Amino acid sequence: MSAEAAGDYDVVILGGGSGGYACALRSAQLGLKVALVEKGELGGTCLHRGCIPTKALLHAAEVADTAREGAQFGVKTTFESIDMAGVHAYKDRVVSRLYKGLQGLVKSGGIDYVEGSGALDGPNTVVVANRRLTGRNVVLATGSHAKSLPGLEVGGRIMTSDEALSIDHVPARVVVLGGGVIGVEFASVFRSFGAEVTIVEALPRLVPAEDEAVSKQLERAFRKRKIAFKTGVRFAGATQSGDVVSVSLESGESIEADLLLVAVGRGPVTEGLGYEAAGITMDRGFVPTDERLRTNVSGVYAVGDIVPGLQLAHRGFGQGIFVAEEIAGLSPAVIEESGIPRVTYCDPEIASVGLTEAEARETHGEIETQEYNLGGNGRSQILGTQGFIKLVRRKDGPVVGVHMIGARMGEQIGEAQLIVNWEAHPEDVAGLVHAHPTQNEALGEAHLALAGKPLHSHA
Ligand SMILES: Cc1cc2nc3c(=O)[nH]c(=O)nc-3n(C[C@H](O)[C@H](O)[C@H](O)COP(=O)(O)OP(=O)(O)OC[C@H]3O[C@@H](n4cnc5c(N)ncnc54)[C@H](O)[C@@H]3O)c2cc1C
């Protein structure tokens, strides 16, 4: 059916974050007529309140630590203080450069960019103010928002990542509620900036979605960095008075701080947008899809954080591109959720792809694992970092999980994801020569060890 016969557009996309704009750009490249509706800023959470600004803060944190640690490398440096206005100016410069670039891409792509808050009116129409945008296909990409806990009101000294990103001073004491990705990244930044930090996590370990060995190593590293954490403890309540926020735990303990950062996860932005009325099946506010990202309503797709699963920008990009290609009839290959790489940018960095040891045992039964200590890796020693690369393979089969922790390990995820997604056997990777001295070499060495021919392996 042609676009003209069924509506004004081939694709109408609701939400211009990672998922939505990727879908718009790819659709336009494929010659489809596209409308992209955005009520806030093009680029969404990732560009304005997520990945990019937080990684700028983490880089500033690394610079602060480097200044503190110069003597370790024979360089005389001193750390003076953090100039938050300067940090924000740097962060905002990075964001605004990327924002301008993205706006240019959308403009030059011939996409009809519609500013305003949109809602579905039936399965193939998005209404924005007095405009009705009708599409042969509609893509829902309205993203997510920071959640809080029942009875915990955000405001004043109680913040989510949204507010914490533009805080104008370094708080002396911070309690971080939640030891997941966002929680440990902010804990890492605040500690490097000079704050006393305590993380409270209800589950038994930090970064509970990662392999258990990675959590243990992170906890060891955080102890060394004097980042306090309480795991297996539930939050009971928080009160603010004067300059202090008092956080009470179900254990009866109470912690005083200048700032409580609530990092307990992100909920879908789907309420009041006409999804249910259009007949779309919802699951606790999320939009379930099949593996081709189709909702239960024909012609309506969903991408990004509103689709149950990993809430990551590159998953949104991948899904957006997939849907554009699907609509254009290219039959793209299904995106395997377990093959999507995950990086947590705290210090030390965590990078992983595929199954944890526990998941692999459950899925495959007999497995083998190998931990390669970065103590044997020259480049990691030059950087002065500790950590490891852990491999999980199906017994006598391919590598099904790679788990890494140590400075800059996020940069190693590229090869790791090829290994897992291309179902390489350790013996295949062991035969590849890795450049020396790189941290990448540690991946090669881990595979040499798992293939039964270790070179620089330390216990
Ligand atoms: C602090 C933080 C750090 C993060 N760090 C990383 C990281 O390092 N790496 C990573 O991969 N991911 C990271 N993420 C997650 C990442 O930001 C999200 O996974 C990603 O932004 C999801 O993309 P999306 O398109 O689904 O939604 P969003 O980016 O949330 O975009 C949705 C868009 O829809 C718009 N919208 C909503 N409702 C309407 C409406 N009714 N009408 C019009 N427009 C509407 C919103 O304004 C928004 O722009 C981080 C998130 C946070 C909060």
Side-chain angles (χ1 to χ4, degrees):
M1 202 190 303
S2 75
E4 288 70 29
D8 303 321
Y9 295 95
D10 293 307
V11 198
V12 177
I13 302 163
L14 186 55
S18 311
Y21 84 69
C23 186
L25 291 173
R26 185 67 182 129
S27 298
Q29 272 169 14
L30 292 167
L32 300 173
K33 191 176 172 204
V34 188
L36 177 61
V37 182
E38 171 56 54
K39 69 172 181 185
E41 291 165 303
L42 179 66
T45 305
C46 165
L47 180 53
H48 301 281
R49 294 174 302 283
C51 324
I52 300 297
T54 53
K55 267 77 261 182
L57 291 187
L58 278 150
H59 184 63
E62 188 183 335
V63 173
D65 287 333
T66 305
R68 280 189 189 94
E69 292 159 7
Q72 191 183 320
F73 306 97
V75 181
K76 291 189 179 176
T77 53
T78 46
F79 169 76
E80 204 176 302
S81 65
I82 298 290
D83 162 21
M84 275 316 276
V87 170
H88 290 313
Y90 150 67
K91 168 186 74 108
D92 296 344
R93 266 196 314 275
V94 175
V95 171
S96 92
R97 255 199 309 270
L98 292 168
Y99 184 34
K100 278 204 186 86
L102 183 58
Q103 286 171 309
L105 283 178
V106 166
K107 207 169 175 186
S108 63
I111 293 158
D112 195 355
Y113 184 66
V114 182
E115 288 180 71
S117 185
L120 274 187
D121 184 14
N124 62 356
T125 302
V126 171
V127 177
V128 189
N130 53 4
R131 279 188 75 178
R132 292 179 69 77
L133 309 164
T134 300
R136 188 163 59 89
N137 300 278
V138 169
V139 181
L140 309 176
T142 41
S144 63
H145 63 89
K147 282 198 304 198
S148 187
L149 294 175
L152 178 59
E153 205 176 313
V154 172
R157 294 177 176 278
I158 303 177
M159 300 183 182
T160 68
S161 60
D162 289 348
E163 296 78 30
L165 267 174
S166 44
I167 188 169
D168 63 3
H169 64 284
V170 177
R173 298 165 304 170
V174 181
V175 170
V176 177
L177 192 57
V181 178
I182 293 176
V184 298
E185 287 190 355
F186 270 96
S188 195
V189 168
F190 280 129
R191 183 65 194 135
S192 298
F193 282 3
E196 275 178 31
V197 179
T198 306
I199 306 171
V200 175
E201 167 59 54
L203 291 172
R205 56 192 173 93
L206 295 181
V207 288
E210 295 293 339
D211 190 277
E212 207 170 331
V214 167
S215 295
K216 279 205 181 109
Q217 179 70 18
L218 181 71
E219 291 177 359
R220 221 172 284 138
F222 271 13
R223 261 185 224 110
K224 228 169 135 186
R225 292 188 60 197
K226 301 204 174 357
I227 296 175
F229 54 88
K230 295 175 189 302
T231 50
V233 191
R234 295 182 75 86
F235 166 84
T239 52
Q240 302 189 57
S241 80
D243 290 347
V244 176
V245 49
S246 188
V247 183
S248 49
L249 307 178
E250 280 185 0
S251 59
E253 210 179 333
S254 154
I255 317 168
E256 292 201 335
D258 305 79
L259 167 64
L260 170 60
L261 176 75
V262 184
V264 294
R266 295 183 62 81
V269 174
T270 52
E271 218 181 294
L273 301 183
Y275 293 1
E276 290 96 335
I280 293 164
T281 301
M282 308 289 289
D283 179 11
R284 289 160 298 139
F286 287 92
V287 183
T289 66
D290 66 8
E291 62 176 13
R292 305 203 75 78
L293 300 167
R294 294 177 292 212
T295 68
N296 62 307
V297 174
S298 171
V300 181
Y301 296 80
V303 298
D305 283 8
I306 61 169
V307 180
L310 291 169
Q311 291 178 317
L312 290 170
H314 45 280
R315 172 178 178 261
F317 296 141
Q319 291 182 336
I321 292 168
F322 176 95
V323 167
E325 295 185 352
E326 181 79 353
I327 289 170
L330 301 184
S331 301
V334 165
I335 298 171
E336 293 294 342
E337 188 89 359
S338 74
I340 296 174
R342 312 168 289 257
V343 180
T344 304
Y345 298 81
C346 52
D347 173 22
E349 266 182 19
I350 297 167
S352 60
V353 57
L355 305 178
T356 62
E357 178 175 346
E359 289 165 347
R361 217 175 277 290
E362 208 179 304
T363 314
H364 298 296
E366 254 197 294
I367 58 160
E368 294 170 272
T369 67
Q370 177 73 49
E371 257 183 51
Y372 177 79
N373 194 309
L374 295 182
N377 175 253
R379 195 61 190 267
S380 297
Q381 291 313 295
I382 290 165
L383 294 174
T385 190
Q386 292 177 341
F388 59 79
I389 293 179
K390 175 173 173 175
L391 304 179
V392 183
R393 86 182 291 192
R394 220 170 63 205
K395 176 113 178 89
D396 300 324
V399 176
V400 294
V402 178
H403 307 276
M404 307 182 275
I405 180 165
R408 303 185 187 178
M409 292 316 281
E411 302 302 326
Q412 302 310 318
I413 198 66
E415 185 181 6
Q417 88 178 70
L418 291 183
I419 291 167
V420 170
N421 284 297
W422 287 353
E423 301 180 0
H425 285 231
E427 294 76 13
D428 301 326
V429 185
L432 300 172
V433 175
H434 289 74
H436 175 76
T438 59
Q439 284 188 292
N440 182 237
E441 211 178 359
L443 254 182
E445 294 247 4
H447 286 87
L448 278 170
L450 190 51
K453 39 183 182 176
L455 186 61
H456 301 100
S457 281
H458 298 258

